[in-house]
Amino acid sequence: MRSSRDAPVDRMGVEKCYDSSAPPQVMRYQVLLSLMLSSQTKDEVTSAAMLRLRQRGLTVDSILQMDDVTLGEIIYPVGFWRNKVKYIKQTTAILKQKYGGDIPSTVEELVKLPGVGPKMAHLAMHIAWNNVSGIGVDTHVHRITNRLKWVKKETRSPEETRVALEDWLPRDLWREINWLLVGFGQQTCLPVNPRCRECLNQDICPAAKRR
Ligand code: SF4
């Protein structure tokens, strides 16, 4: 069901938002920034905001020099854009002062940055550092693994789901489960009215609606 890789996440997800020809440190900063912009925001909107930022040269220094109003105008309409302006500025200042303009290379340090949660930290480790530290569980991965009962008992938060999945899922699948299920959730196993009739899981899925 994901073989055509044509979901929004495949075309406009965080892995497509950074400048892969930029110096590694700049690339890693752009990965972190796109993750911060992406929470509660559609891939299309995050991708467009990243493009506007990159057109002005997206680096730690360019963001520190930018005033908050301008940053807000550029990232609008990403979800919670006012808070994100604040978090981006605070995090970027910390990166400059404490990490020489790079991003930290551990989950423990990443989650201490303002506006960075566990999902973002694990995805930053995958994408920016090519280091699979844990499963990136967003709302799609959380919902679908509960529908399919891939967690022993129902979990109430993405963080609980991450721990439950990591308990049994082979480590070499931790990276791909994110983009596979995010795209599946965007195209088939929708939050409301999942397309069960066209889903190849319908005979094995405990949550399948068969009418
Ligand atoms: S059968 Fe329905 S609920 Fe189950 S995985 Fe497929 S789309 Fe989702």
Side-chain angles (χ1 to χ4, degrees):
M1 284 185 281
R2 293 286 287 117
S3 58
S4 54
R5 296 192 68 166
D6 56 359
V9 68
D10 302 309
R11 288 177 277 114
M12 291 170 285
V14 166
E15 302 226 26
K16 303 284 176 195
C17 282
Y18 63 89
D19 177 4
S20 54
S21 65
Q25 190 167 317
V26 174
M27 184 207 82
R28 287 192 283 271
Y29 176 63
Q30 293 187 356
V31 168
L32 183 65
L33 220 70
S34 58
L35 285 165
M36 293 177 78
L37 292 177
S38 70
S39 75
Q40 309 282 323
T41 304
K42 286 192 180 308
D43 288 332
E44 294 86 336
V45 177
T46 304
S47 168
M50 279 298 291
L51 201 61
R52 290 192 295 277
L53 282 169
R54 282 173 50 193
Q55 280 163 353
R56 302 174 68 121
L58 180 53
T59 64
V60 163
D61 289 328
S62 74
I63 291 295
L64 289 178
Q65 283 157 18
M66 195 179 285
D67 63 78
D68 290 8
V69 173
T70 306
L71 181 56
E73 284 170 358
I74 296 175
I75 69 170
Y76 180 87
V78 300
F80 302 100
W81 62 273
R82 284 191 185 83
N83 284 341
K84 287 179 185 173
V85 166
K86 198 172 65 191
Y87 291 145
I88 287 170
K89 279 299 188 70
Q90 290 171 347
T91 285
T92 306
I94 294 169
L95 299 182
K96 176 86 175 172
Q97 288 156 12
K98 203 169 160 193
Y99 298 98
D102 209 337
I103 71 169
S105 58
T106 65
V107 169
E108 292 70 27
E109 289 172 293
L110 282 162
V111 294
K112 285 187 190 145
L113 297 168
V116 179
K119 178 203 80 171
M120 291 179 215
H122 287 296
L123 290 177
M125 292 299 293
H126 300 180
I127 303 166
W129 293 110
N130 197 25
N131 178 347
V132 179
S133 53
I135 299 172
V137 177
D138 77 335
T139 175
H140 294 292
V141 178
H142 175 63
R143 177 182 74 255
I144 295 166
T145 53
N146 271 280
R147 281 179 177 168
L148 286 167
K149 299 245 184 285
W150 284 3
V151 287
K152 283 195 193 103
K153 62 182 176 66
E154 191 177 339
T155 51
R156 271 163 290 171
S157 68
E159 194 48 16
E160 248 186 75
T161 304
R162 180 183 66 77
V163 174
L165 286 175
E166 288 177 2
D167 193 42
W168 68 268
L169 191 73
R171 205 178 173 99
D172 59 348
L173 302 176
W174 286 12
R175 187 170 182 150
E176 69 182 19
I177 187 178
N178 177 270
W179 63 262
L180 280 170
L181 291 193
V182 171
F184 181 55
Q186 290 173 332
Q187 293 183 311
T188 308
C189 194
L190 308 176
V192 180
N193 298 326
R195 296 180 175 141
C196 300
R197 277 196 297 188
E198 60 197 65
C199 176
L200 301 179
N201 290 330
Q202 60 173 300
D203 292 334
I204 55 164
C205 175
K209 291 189 174 70
R210 296 196 171 80
R211 282 187 296 132

